[in-house]
Amino acid sequence: QERLVESGGGVVQPGRSLRLSCAASGFYFSTYGMHWLRQAPGKGLEWVAVISYDGSTKYYTDSVKGRFTISRDNSKNTLYLQMNSLRAEDTAVYYCARDREGGAFDPWGQGTLVTVSS
Amino acid sequence: EIVMTQSPVALSVSPGERATLSCRASQSVNSNLAWYQQKPGQAPRLLIYGASTRATGIPARFSGSGSGTEFTLTILSLQSEDFAVYYCQQYKYWPQFTFGPGTKVDIK
């Protein structure tokens, strides 16, 4: 069974850092591009970042460029999101998802909540 | 940026009836369009990709159609488990993926 499990969320003060992890199982992780997406409380879905299957290519949405870094460790079947200089507007449930057909997302993890507050 | 809009914002449907949801893109996305279902407290689930291909395990009562800028998700004979928020998403303009604001389908 294909599965993604996020961890690492929590409450953090503005300006601080947090690293999210996403553990994959049930599929060949090293052959897929992977994404991070987020959903602010009561709001819609927003794509955050993508990394290619081998980690060589990365893209970010404009609002997180220079602050967030996506990475992966294919030996551990794990995806990461390093979030620095966090802002209140980064408060959201963060989901990891596998790339499907060049830009659809399937499956999704259950999400991890990040709250940026003083 | 490609802007996705969805209509209606909310839709009240009786169990067993059909629901028709619309999605529009500000520019053509060809068939690079996906639909997701999200229930309260849960992650989204992929229903349709390529505008009309059902994802693995998705019941046949869900169907997608359209291309270019106009798309439709049809749910035949709504079941109780289908009441949720539905999002469309374009992936033509890689990697600037964008979602619509969602349509909430609730029980009439």
Side-chain angles (χ1 to χ4, degrees):
Chain A
Q1 181 184 3
E2 302 170 341
R3 192 175 183 213
L4 298 169
V5 178
E6 301 94 337
S7 60
V11 179
V12 61
Q13 293 179 330
R16 304 298 291 266
S17 299
L18 206 59
R19 188 176 84 155
L20 306 182
S21 299
C22 168
S25 60
F27 64 97
Y28 290 106
F29 178 74
S30 62
T31 65
Y32 287 92
M34 295 294 297
H35 301 265
W36 286 101
L37 303 101
R38 66 185 178 183
Q39 186 171 35
K43 302 297 184 182
L45 299 165
E46 180 184 25
W47 172 79
V48 174
V50 61
I51 187 168
S52 60
Y53 71 99
D54 61 355
S56 63
T57 303
K58 305 172 186 181
Y59 293 101
Y60 303 90
T61 193
D62 286 347
S63 62
V64 309
K65 282 179 184 175
R67 301 189 299 122
F68 289 13
T69 302
I70 189 171
S71 62
R72 64 191 299 160
D73 185 337
N74 285 344
S75 68
K76 296 182 178 179
N77 289 346
T78 302
L79 176 73
Y80 302 101
L81 186 67
Q82 177 67 43
M83 304 186 295
N84 298 332
S85 303
L86 282 161
R87 306 167 180 168
E89 54 265 36
D90 296 318
T91 294
V93 175
Y94 284 74
Y95 298 101
C96 61
R98 186 182 68 182
D99 186 81
R100 172 80 181 261
E101 295 289 322
F105 310 116
D106 178 49
W108 298 56
Q110 87 287 353
T112 188
L113 177 61
V114 173
T115 302
V116 184
S117 173
S118 54
Chain B
E1 177 184 303
I2 305 301
V3 177
M4 307 300 291
T5 57
Q6 292 184 242
S7 61
V9 172
L11 186 61
S12 293
V13 184
S14 299
E17 292 188 340
R18 178 170 68 180
T20 302
L21 287 64
S22 296
C23 173
R24 175 177 290 179
S26 60
Q27 299 178 41
S28 175
V29 298
N30 295 340
S31 293
N32 300 115
L33 191 284
W35 289 94
Y36 301 87
Q37 177 194 66
Q38 187 177 33
K39 298 178 183 179
Q42 295 186 18
R45 175 177 71 148
L46 177 68
L47 298 175
I48 302 285
Y49 63 93
S52 61
T53 303
R54 276 190 303 278
T56 303
I58 301 303
R61 64 180 181 272
F62 291 91
S63 65
S65 63
S67 67
T69 62
E70 301 282 343
F71 301 89
T72 300
L73 175 70
T74 301
I75 313 171
L76 295 175
S77 187
L78 260 93
Q79 306 298 302
S80 57
E81 62 265 30
D82 300 336
F83 293 99
V85 178
Y86 293 83
Y87 295 95
C88 62
Q89 175 239 334
Q90 68 80 20
Y91 52 95
K92 179 180 187 298
Y93 296 92
W94 217 97
Q96 297 305 319
F97 311 103
T98 49
F99 290 86
T103 292
K104 183 178 182 180
V105 178
D106 60 19
I107 300 174
K108 187 173 184 180

